[in-house]
Amino acid sequence: MDRETMRKDEAGLHIAMFSVHGLIRGSDLELGRDADTGGQTKYVVELARALGRHPRVSRVDLVTRRIDDLEVSDDYAKPVERLGERAALVRVPAGGDEYMRKEELWPHLDELAANAARYFEEGPGVPDVVHGHYADAGYVAQRLAQRWRRPMVFTGHSLGRNKQRALRGAGMTREEMEDQYRIGRRIEAEEQALRAADLVIASTHQEVVKGYELYDAAPAARFAVIPPGVDVERFYPYYYDLDASFEPDEEVVKARVRMKRELTRFLRDPDKPVILSISRPDRKKNNLGLVEAYGEDKELRHLANLAIFAGVRSDIEQLDDNEREVMTGLLFAMDRYDLYGRLAIPKKHRPDVDIPVLYRLVAARRGVFVNPALEENFGITIIEASSSGLPVVSTNHGGPQEIISKVGSGELIDARDKGAIQAAIKGILVDREKWERYSENGVAGVREHYSWRAHVDKYVNALEQVLEAVPAAS
């Protein structure tokens, strides 16, 4: 598809979104491949698709960096990839062809902005709104919004000042933070984006109060709290699979076989309930704390197995330092507590098709999903699990507080308190009535509060208000 063939209804909004780093494609996202290919990549693709279906949107272009590298799939070299009738993924060159981590992209962002400007000005035309996701894309969006005199929207996703505070608490020096994370450059870009943005979109009220409060530019910024959505057509209730009249598509059937085989490969008694955790292998995700809580509780080990899906790997030695430390820590804990046959730590899965199936398999075995993170900006996995009818035990840090208060699909715990983790999981596993209540609440609550339709309605309304206000302010 070239840049001219996608449908554009002139009566609707033309939105340009920017998400620069990581590996982004329309299907089979490589979530967890590295620290840059996490939930943000999934969110922006699903947001673009959902916006492309909205009646008041004419066209959505999701712009990222073009990568032509033998180490990654050829998919990331395609200049344009269709995401729907009115949505496309656009890749523009910047900084050469090789894939690089986000901290190395800063010197190349002006080139990316220039090439993106050329794409729009020579092709589909200047968009009505420019939206930058994360600090690097916020920098690009700011440059283009100024060039085109268009409103700018910014979503931080995760924030540099929060990370800086956590790294400092872990004993890292300023020089180490700069060398590894370019933390000063990131924070400067976030401050600039907050000052320039006509609207800042946050996932939760707590993110505004406890995250952005660290920024000098925050008091003057205009915030809108719009929680991310979940595709309820993919994350449907587990009991659909138990209905003989329900016929899933072929990919779902294959994924079910694949996930059952993967769990059976690790577990001595695979039919027992499963305690499930899904995240990147990152220290702040606290997977080791969950393994320790499980390993130290004989009753919990008797009640259920434990499965941790910590990203995708082929060789632990090839992971970065943080991820390698996490994975080796999990393996050492497996040996220390002698969890062979009780703990599954699979190496690979296909996030797009396997994860929805995995939630339903665990729910059908009357298991529990656990998010033990020490820090959690939002918690999309909590929504996905709840939408599938799987009860949740989650950290009480950040976004999960708002999710659980709205949805009622589980319980909040202090993730640093192993006793609290153990008690909450056991309380759900042994109480059938509680399990059923949390399961039913999750299915209904997600559809009421966290569907993509609800998300994009709020998003489009917020953009239209900005477009009305900006000319008057000018």
Side-chain angles (χ1 to χ4, degrees):
M1 182 187 72
D2 62 36
R3 67 182 70 183
E4 301 298 341
T5 58
M6 190 170 66
R7 175 186 164 191
K8 183 177 187 298
D9 177 359
E10 298 298 337
L13 287 172
H14 178 190
I15 302 167
M17 297 198 302
F18 290 80
S19 185
V20 174
H21 64 261
L23 296 168
I24 302 180
R25 61 186 177 189
S27 62
D28 203 17
L29 288 162
E30 298 184 75
L31 300 179
R33 174 183 172 128
D34 56 30
D36 292 350
T37 307
Q40 178 183 327
T41 58
K42 178 181 179 182
Y43 170 77
V44 294
V45 169
E46 293 191 352
L47 176 59
R49 278 205 175 96
L51 284 170
R53 295 191 293 267
H54 197 279
R56 302 204 300 276
V57 173
S58 65
R59 179 181 180 119
V60 183
D61 292 290
L62 171 57
V63 183
T64 191
R65 177 173 173 261
R66 181 176 178 270
I67 302 160
D68 192 1
D69 187 334
L70 292 175
E71 298 297 318
V72 301
S73 169
D74 292 343
D75 293 344
Y76 306 113
K78 296 176 182 176
V80 179
E81 178 182 352
R82 185 189 290 270
L83 298 177
E85 186 180 5
R86 292 177 292 175
L89 180 54
V90 177
R91 301 182 180 91
V92 297
D97 294 331
E98 291 185 359
Y99 181 53
M100 62 181 77
R101 63 190 184 95
K102 59 180 177 291
E103 289 81 10
E104 297 174 347
L105 288 174
W106 289 106
H108 310 295
L109 295 182
D110 285 324
E111 180 188 0
L112 193 145
N115 287 331
R118 186 174 301 112
Y119 171 83
F120 285 102
E121 291 165 9
E122 295 178 358
V126 172
D128 299 306
V129 179
V130 182
H131 186 166
H133 293 267
Y134 196 80
D136 46 19
Y139 175 89
V140 173
Q142 181 185 352
R143 294 295 181 272
L144 293 174
Q146 290 172 343
R147 175 187 179 100
W148 294 328
R149 299 189 179 185
R150 292 291 192 268
M152 174 192 165
V153 180
F154 176 60
T155 301
H157 289 278
S158 66
L159 299 174
R161 288 200 187 275
N162 298 63
K163 188 178 186 75
Q164 183 185 51
R165 184 168 58 178
L167 294 174
R168 189 183 294 124
M172 186 174 283
T173 67
R174 176 182 293 183
E175 290 74 19
E176 289 171 332
M177 284 187 263
E178 287 301 322
D179 180 61
Q180 187 169 348
Y181 297 110
R182 309 292 192 272
I183 201 73
R185 183 68 189 85
R186 174 180 171 182
I187 291 171
E188 178 188 357
E190 289 167 338
E191 290 279 13
Q192 290 176 354
L194 286 173
R195 281 192 289 269
D198 298 284
L199 182 68
V200 181
I201 293 179
S203 299
T204 66
H205 293 283
Q206 178 151 340
E207 182 184 350
V208 177
V209 175
K210 298 294 185 181
Y212 284 105
E213 68 170 357
L214 300 175
Y215 287 79
D216 297 334
R222 176 184 177 183
F223 290 94
V225 176
I226 308 176
V230 66
D231 184 353
V232 296
E233 298 298 320
R234 289 175 55 234
F235 296 95
Y236 55 79
Y238 73 96
Y239 42 78
Y240 283 21
D241 288 338
L242 305 179
D243 184 345
S245 64
F246 179 72
E247 297 183 4
D249 63 38
E250 185 178 352
E251 280 294 318
V252 171
V253 174
K254 291 179 180 177
R256 190 184 300 159
V257 172
R258 191 162 52 241
M259 288 296 94
K260 283 184 178 179
R261 183 174 62 237
E262 199 67 16
L263 291 174
T264 301
R265 190 163 68 92
F266 284 90
L267 303 176
R268 188 179 303 118
D269 184 359
D271 293 327
K272 285 172 66 172
V274 174
I275 303 162
L276 174 66
S277 180
I278 301 172
S279 69
R280 290 185 295 106
D282 190 297
R283 283 189 291 268
K284 69 182 181 181
K285 298 300 183 182
N286 194 34
N287 284 315
L288 180 58
L290 176 58
V291 174
E292 289 173 347
Y294 178 77
E296 293 172 9
D297 192 318
K298 290 182 180 180
E299 183 182 7
L300 194 53
R301 296 200 306 269
H302 174 73
L303 287 170
N305 295 311
L306 175 61
I308 294 180
F309 284 71
V312 177
R313 65 190 185 279
S314 56
D315 186 342
I316 289 178
E317 291 186 351
Q318 295 177 357
L319 301 175
D320 67 28
D321 292 345
N322 177 23
E323 294 173 338
R324 185 167 60 249
E325 180 182 329
V326 169
M327 294 308 306
T328 53
L330 293 177
L331 295 176
F332 287 154
M334 174 188 278
D335 191 71
R336 182 165 64 251
Y337 296 109
D338 192 19
L339 299 179
Y340 298 97
R342 300 177 186 272
L343 171 60
I345 314 178
K347 295 178 66 171
K348 295 182 180 180
H349 61 275
R350 293 178 57 192
D352 273 10
V353 293
D354 290 347
I355 294 302
V357 165
L358 187 59
Y359 289 128
R360 294 194 295 273
L361 284 176
V362 174
R365 297 177 190 182
R366 307 191 70 79
V368 177
F369 179 78
V370 181
N371 177 347
L374 302 176
E375 301 174 18
E376 186 61 83
N377 183 46
F378 183 67
I380 192 68
T381 53
I382 298 172
I383 298 177
E384 294 172 348
S386 300
S387 183
S388 307
L390 179 60
V392 169
V393 170
S394 174
T395 177
N396 61 7
H397 179 278
Q401 292 182 352
E402 293 187 28
I403 295 172
I404 296 300
S405 69
K406 289 181 178 179
V407 175
S409 58
E411 300 178 8
L412 298 169
I413 45 88
D414 179 353
R416 291 174 172 81
D417 185 344
K418 286 186 278 191
I421 296 173
Q422 293 161 345
I425 296 173
K426 286 188 291 187
I428 297 173
L429 288 174
V430 302
D431 188 334
R432 187 178 186 88
E433 183 178 330
K434 179 186 287 188
W435 193 98
E436 291 287 355
R437 183 171 72 253
Y438 287 154
S439 176
E440 292 170 4
N441 288 351
V443 173
V446 168
R447 279 148 185 80
E448 179 180 356
H449 297 288
Y450 293 105
S451 70
W452 270 114
R453 179 177 297 179
H455 180 88
V456 296
D457 279 344
K458 295 175 184 176
Y459 181 97
V460 170
N461 288 340
L463 292 193
E464 290 176 340
Q465 290 174 16
V466 167
L467 286 165
E468 291 175 2
V470 167
S474 300

